[in-house]
Amino acid sequence: MAEMVANRITDIGPPKYDEMWPEIIKNNYGKWLHHEILEPGVLVHVAESGDKLYTVRCGATRLMTTHMVEDYCKIADEFCGGYFRFTTRNNVEFMVTSTEKLEGLKKALAAAGNMPIGGTGHSVTNIVHTQGWVHCHTPAIDASGPVKSVMDALFDYFTSMKLPAQVRIALACCLNMCGAVHCSDIAILGVHRKPPVIEHSHLDKMCEIPTTIASCPTAAIKPSKVDDFKSVAVNADRCMYCGNCYTMCPAMPLADADGDGIAIMVGGKVSNSKCMPKFSKLAIPYIPNEPPRWESTVKAITTILEAYVSGAKRYERIGEWIERIGWERFFDVTGFEFTKRHIDDYRFAATTWRTSTQFKW
Amino acid sequence: MPTVTFKGKTYEVDEDGFLQDPESWDEDFAYYVKEEEGISELTDEHWKVIRYLQEYYKKNGIAPMVRIMTKVTGYKLKQIYELFPSGPGKGACKMAGLAKPTGCV
């Protein structure tokens, strides 16, 4: 193991978080008094010492070139002493200590053209999303494409704060649900509609058959001998096209141009304010994949958002609004069709059915 | 499918160098992976791990979990990494001719 192990440095972890703090954050760590949103995308934090920290938040595409990062660095060098940071929703934040610098920074960001200021308060901020067709092998939809289309349509909500509460949108390109789709106000999820194709001739060579069988949540897979090959059989009636078996076994692909598409879910949240965190629930079971602009998906999300804006009370998240008016009203006001696909039928499904006579016609 | 030729024998492998068909494994394939992994020599300890992986795979149709492998061979994970610098999956399983590990690795 000569050269592979020689001089190898391991287990050093990330650099310590405070190594890259601006001076003002170092000085006032743990001593902040209050903060204020001055305008969409601009925050001010005031410390006990009277120090003021202005933060400008910019939308970012998450997938970016080193040139883009260099552009961020140039702005940070010019206005922020070389410091900037990324948020948990992949926005970029630049921090300055005076209003003069703040004005200069805002002008420079506007001049850049690809650093839109916004994402604070009751807005639609960045979309947490995944790899899609850029890099992953199990997606049912693309990630970067639909995200760009949706943010284009909702851009006005990014640069303003006119919603009843913040609206978190997330996208995952398969139901592995990397990211936050299961707990977002609006979630875009890639789904399949056809069972996997089984490549019998080499399944046993590439796959661990027991692992593949155990990967199925509905027990639709069983071992089987096909033309003298050790393989598996899929009971199509039990298969719900989750694609877990393909994750475990490369000989069971199920991506399909016509079958794959988008499911929209609504009403999730992670914060503890007012009510407990919620899972998002199914609103639309299937919208076809429409690259490059995903028009039907964009239209559906706009419909949800507009119904929410006109129906919700102040501070009400989408999930709280729907639970107040009732799900039957939600389908009323959005005009979405309610189908048998919306009715839970997995294991403890009965807990989600209505066991009451309370209902609005 | 790419192939590798080692000591006059040809093996069908995938892009990561894993054997396409476990049946085509022989000891020379282990020596091919040894070169690729930069391991200086295959000791009895290496062979103990390789033989165990093959035996478990033959019997159960899956690669053993790390805890089972360490318990039966008596080598702690740290020792496994000393034997196979790329680790039990990319190193040992590849050398033993097992199927490539899958899932969110």
Side-chain angles (χ1 to χ4, degrees):
Chain A
M1 27 184 150
E3 64 268 35
M4 196 168 163
V5 182
N7 301 321
R8 183 162 76 175
I9 299 168
T10 66
D11 300 308
I12 55 167
K16 194 168 177 232
Y17 54 91
D18 60 6
E19 277 172 33
M20 281 161 263
W21 276 353
E23 203 56 33
I24 181 170
I25 293 199
K26 231 172 252 173
N27 296 341
N28 296 292
Y29 180 63
K31 296 174 200 159
W32 299 101
L33 278 182
H34 58 91
H35 74 277
E36 203 178 320
I37 304 176
L38 296 176
E39 58 185 274
V42 183
L43 309 163
V44 60
H45 286 79
V46 182
E48 285 169 4
S49 60
D51 281 358
K52 282 186 177 178
L53 172 71
Y54 298 91
T55 304
V56 181
R57 185 177 297 167
C58 295
T61 50
R62 191 181 70 93
L63 273 193
M64 56 181 73
T65 60
T66 47
H67 291 293
M68 188 70 208
V69 179
E70 264 177 26
D71 288 349
Y72 289 141
C73 293
K74 276 180 202 152
I75 295 223
D77 281 339
E78 193 179 343
F79 297 96
C80 319
Y83 295 101
F84 72 100
R85 64 183 178 199
F86 286 95
T87 69
T88 52
R89 297 189 81 84
N90 307 304
N91 289 309
V92 184
E93 285 185 347
F94 297 99
M95 292 148 288
V96 291
T97 48
S98 72
T99 43
E100 298 84 63
K101 274 193 176 162
L102 175 66
E103 289 313 309
L105 172 62
K106 284 197 315 202
K107 274 201 196 93
L109 292 171
N114 55 1
M115 302 180 190
I117 301 174
T120 52
H122 292 176
S123 64
V124 174
T125 181
N126 215 347
I127 299 182
V128 168
H129 63 282
T130 55
Q131 310 216 23
W133 300 333
V134 171
H135 197 70
C136 191
H137 70 299
T138 62
I141 58 167
D142 191 23
S144 300
V147 163
K148 164 74 172 149
S149 309
V150 171
M151 280 315 279
D152 277 351
L154 305 183
F155 188 65
D156 184 35
Y157 291 109
F158 178 79
T159 54
S160 65
M161 302 190 291
K162 55 190 178 187
L163 292 165
Q166 68 268 44
V167 170
R168 301 285 183 244
I169 305 182
L171 176 147
C173 44
C174 82
L175 38 69
N176 205 3
M177 293 194 174
C178 299
V181 287
H182 67 297
C183 57
S184 292
D185 291 289
I186 302 177
I188 307 164
L189 179 66
V191 291
H192 301 284
R193 292 188 305 165
K194 293 183 184 175
V197 175
I198 309 170
E199 297 166 354
H200 296 293
S201 65
H202 52 269
L203 188 137
D204 184 42
K205 293 172 184 166
M206 302 178 81
C207 311
E208 300 178 342
I209 289 177
T211 320
T212 310
I213 292 168
S215 74
C216 185
T218 55
I221 305 176
K222 61 178 183 184
S224 154
K225 199 148 202 171
V226 183
D227 302 335
D228 283 344
F229 293 118
K230 256 172 87 180
S231 185
V232 296
V234 172
N235 178 353
D237 288 341
R238 286 190 76 94
C239 179
M240 57 175 179
Y241 333 118
C242 69
N244 258 353
C245 50
Y246 178 59
T247 302
M248 300 319 295
C249 172
M252 296 180 75
L254 80 164
D256 181 273
D258 301 320
D260 298 353
I262 284 172
I264 302 279
M265 298 160 84
V266 295
K269 61 169 230 158
V270 288
S271 84
N272 252 316
S273 69
K274 301 191 294 300
C275 70
M276 283 197 289
K278 295 176 194 295
F279 282 128
S280 41
K281 297 195 170 80
L282 186 65
I284 305 175
Y286 179 76
I287 301 174
N289 246 329
E290 297 165 322
R293 295 299 296 177
W294 280 269
E295 288 87 359
S296 310
T297 304
V298 170
K299 189 162 164 275
I301 289 173
T302 321
T303 307
I304 296 169
L305 209 59
E306 279 165 4
Y308 164 67
V309 169
S310 60
K313 292 178 180 166
R314 209 170 166 210
Y315 303 122
E316 225 169 24
R317 297 285 292 266
I318 287 192
E320 294 161 355
W321 162 63
I322 297 174
E323 271 175 24
R324 176 171 58 80
I325 65 172
W327 280 91
E328 60 269 27
R329 273 287 174 278
F330 168 77
F331 284 94
D332 252 8
V333 294
T334 53
F336 298 150
E337 193 193 351
F338 184 84
T339 67
K340 67 175 182 184
R341 311 257 174 241
H342 289 89
I343 303 167
D344 193 352
D345 58 359
Y346 187 70
R347 294 198 183 180
F348 303 115
T351 58
T352 64
W353 300 340
R354 190 167 309 210
T355 48
S356 155
T357 52
Q358 280 208 350
F359 178 82
K360 298 186 193 92
W361 287 106
Chain B
M1 241 352 127
T3 55
V4 293
T5 310
F6 186 74
K7 287 188 184 169
K9 281 182 205 153
T10 305
Y11 302 93
E12 224 179 292
V13 296
D14 65 11
E15 67 279 8
D16 295 317
F18 277 81
L19 210 52
Q20 284 297 99
D21 183 358
E23 298 284 308
S24 61
W25 187 89
D26 60 16
E27 289 196 357
D28 281 337
F29 184 77
Y31 284 103
Y32 154 72
V33 177
K34 158 182 165 302
E35 302 290 310
E36 215 187 22
E37 293 280 313
I39 298 170
S40 49
E41 79 179 293
L42 290 190
T43 61
D44 288 348
E45 292 173 319
H46 286 100
W47 284 111
K48 186 175 167 189
V49 174
I50 293 171
R51 298 289 181 211
Y52 172 67
L53 288 175
Q54 291 178 331
E55 189 189 313
Y56 189 95
Y57 195 84
K58 206 167 184 181
K59 186 170 164 220
N60 300 293
I62 61 173
M65 276 159 276
V66 168
R67 288 182 59 146
I68 300 178
M69 179 180 71
T70 51
K71 194 168 182 179
V72 175
T73 60
Y75 302 134
K76 292 189 172 133
L77 189 57
K78 188 167 179 291
Q79 291 168 295
I80 299 277
Y81 270 92
E82 280 160 6
L83 296 170
F84 304 94
S86 306
K90 276 174 72 185
C93 283
K94 189 202 270 188
M95 202 177 261
L98 268 52
K100 183 160 68 182
T102 56
C104 298
V105 279

